[in-house]
Amino acid sequence: MHSFSYTRALEVETAVQEKVAGPANKFIAGGTNLTDLMKAEVEKPEQLIDIRRLPLKTIAENPEGGLRLGALVTNADTAYHEQIETRYPLLSKAILAGASAQLRNMATNGGNPLQRTRCYYFYDTATACNKREPGTGCSAINGFNRIHAILGASESCIAVHPSDMAVALTALDAKINVSGPNGERVISFPEFHRLPGDTPHIDTNLQADELITSIDLPAQGFAEHNTYLKIRDRESYAFALVSVAAALEMDGTIIKEARIALGGVAHKPWRSTEAEDLLRGKEARVENFKPVAEAIINGAQGYGHNNFKIELAKRAIVRALLQAANIEEKS
Ligand SMILES: Cc1cc2nc3c(=O)[nH]c(=O)nc-3n(C[C@H](O)[C@H](O)[C@H](O)COP(=O)(O)OP(=O)(O)OC[C@H]3O[C@@H](n4cnc5c(N)ncnc54)[C@H](O)[C@@H]3O)c2cc1C
Ligand code: SF4
């Protein structure tokens, strides 16, 4: 049994100061991931700093003409917000594809992108895991790796990032606003999560003492043509084997602008600007989507049990682009 203390912060500055005071102190928001990790003894905080009463619970216009999502707005309130549903339906769809209604009622916009991998070995403290305990090895590489990465993995870790919301936010080019002991800064979503390299215990570029205060959505929401396609073992309450956030701006059947990001395939949401360049100016049709899928999946590597994900990802990309373009062709 691991003992910890509990405090409740009412101001952002106080929360940050309490975090700075102890390297093993942790913020808790919805608690839907952190408490699971504590029960499994993967996380052993000395102090839990409850941030749920911080004044970060609004969704409002931001100076760029988009929306600012408070870090403590729940995933449910975000997905069903009238402005999100109409201007950023891709984000609504991605959030609603994740977890369950009860979990989304608790989970927050700040906590969601910081949830940790669902690699079975990460949760099992009897096994070696470089992410949980650096330098011990990776049990998944030669183990059961059906849910693991096919892109951007390393010899140290082949885990994937599990968030659905983060895939849509990466495609939408959202920005994360953070507050820390040295003031405030902004991190673009595609730069927020990291590849594992030889430091897989570090998931993101957020510094240990920094608090996420809000997420900014840019003005362009791709509201007309978008889809979040999530392929999983069950139709609900399951993490993505492969997911695709696709967003297009069309002029008739011609693609003017494209965004595409994948979930379930890498240690971070996998955005391909190369694929987006390939799509620009093209007619929306299967023959033009197949080379895009090949370009995104180029260099993919399976580890045995997850080899199927390579073909699955290619097909999912083509299908997602067809769905986003509203075109009925066989993928
Ligand atoms: C059974 C189950 C199924 C699930 N299925 C899915 C799914 O299909 N798709 C999906 O995307 N997710 C899924 N989830 C995960 C769920 O979405 C996350 O647990 C949730 O979004 C985390 O948000 P939270 O507010 O509860 O975070 P918490 O658990 O409170 O915190 C998570 C981490 O973020 C840190 N943190 C929280 N807020 C901040 C902040 N503002 N600034 C800095 N650090 C912060 C905490 O210290 C902690 O390290 C599932 C979870 C469960 C239990
Ligand atoms: S894949 Fe990463 S999280 Fe899973 S066992 Fe290997 S090091 Fe740990």
Side-chain angles (χ1 to χ4, degrees):
M1 180 80 165
H2 174 76
S3 302
F4 59 89
S5 60
Y6 170 89
T7 55
R8 198 177 266 160
L10 301 178
E11 302 292 338
V12 168
E13 294 73 23
T14 328
V16 171
Q17 280 163 13
E18 290 193 29
K19 186 81 174 66
V20 172
N25 296 352
K26 296 281 299 182
F27 297 129
I28 184 162
T32 59
N33 188 221
L34 184 56
T35 47
D36 275 357
L37 292 165
M38 288 171 67
K39 282 186 229 163
E41 299 203 331
V42 175
E43 294 278 8
K44 294 180 184 172
E46 275 176 16
Q47 180 183 337
L48 277 188
I49 307 157
D50 187 343
I51 56 173
R52 275 174 292 190
R53 295 200 183 178
L54 296 182
L56 306 171
K57 292 187 179 167
T58 54
I59 294 181
E61 296 284 333
N62 69 26
E64 285 76 45
L67 290 181
R68 177 162 293 175
L69 317 177
L72 289 165
V73 181
T74 66
N75 285 178
D77 286 345
T78 305
Y80 293 122
H81 191 277
E82 186 254 331
Q83 290 283 312
I84 301 291
E85 284 183 321
T86 52
R87 293 170 61 185
Y88 305 95
L90 174 62
L91 180 58
S92 281
K93 290 172 195 169
I95 293 174
L96 295 176
S100 65
Q102 292 91 334
L103 284 158
R104 294 191 296 266
N105 282 340
M106 290 300 291
T108 62
N109 293 337
N112 188 307
L114 290 170
Q115 62 177 292
R116 305 208 70 191
T117 185
R118 292 281 155 174
C119 171
Y120 334 103
Y121 304 103
F122 178 67
Y123 279 78
D124 180 355
T125 55
T127 60
C129 170
N130 286 324
K131 186 180 278 298
R132 179 171 24 79
E133 216 174 318
T136 55
C138 171
S139 299
I141 287 187
N142 296 311
F144 188 52
N145 47 41
R146 187 169 180 278
I147 61 172
H148 289 75
I150 52 170
L151 289 163
S154 73
E155 285 177 3
S156 300
C157 179
I158 60 169
V160 300
H161 185 70
S163 166
D164 291 298
M165 181 183 190
V167 182
L169 289 170
T170 299
L172 288 170
D173 236 348
K175 292 189 171 57
I176 296 196
N177 299 307
V178 308
S179 192
N182 301 320
E184 298 180 350
R185 70 181 180 113
V186 182
I187 309 170
S188 84
F189 226 93
E191 302 301 319
F192 185 70
H193 295 94
R194 302 173 73 250
L195 290 179
D198 55 7
T199 53
H201 57 292
I202 308 172
D203 290 343
T204 70
N205 288 316
L206 187 75
Q207 298 302 306
D209 298 333
E210 287 178 325
L211 177 88
I212 296 177
T213 53
S214 60
I215 296 171
D216 277 342
L217 300 174
Q220 167 66 292
F222 296 92
E224 295 278 309
H225 293 281
N226 63 80
T227 199
Y228 187 72
L229 177 64
K230 180 174 176 179
I231 314 283
R232 47 190 155 172
D233 283 327
R234 296 185 303 269
E235 260 310 295
S236 73
Y237 208 41
F239 289 89
L241 291 167
V242 171
S243 69
V244 185
L248 303 173
E249 194 190 324
M250 311 267 299
D251 184 0
T253 57
I254 303 299
I255 297 167
K256 280 173 64 187
E257 189 61 46
R259 297 286 175 75
I260 188 151
L262 269 61
V265 296
H267 200 256
K268 60 185 286 184
W270 192 265
R271 175 146 172 218
S272 173
T273 49
E274 187 197 341
E276 293 168 6
D277 291 344
L278 279 175
L279 284 165
R280 213 167 288 123
K282 295 267 170 44
E283 194 170 348
R285 48 190 303 150
V286 170
E287 298 82 70
N288 289 333
F289 293 158
K290 284 186 173 167
V292 169
E294 292 293 337
I296 297 173
I297 300 305
N298 185 26
Q301 184 191 344
Y303 293 87
H305 301 283
N306 70 345
N307 290 351
F308 73 98
K309 277 194 181 185
I310 296 175
E311 184 60 26
L312 181 66
K314 288 184 198 171
R315 291 177 186 223
I317 292 164
V318 174
R319 194 193 300 173
L321 287 168
L322 285 171
Q323 281 180 3
N326 284 332
I327 288 180
E328 284 188 22
E329 277 187 66
K330 281 218 164 100
S331 53

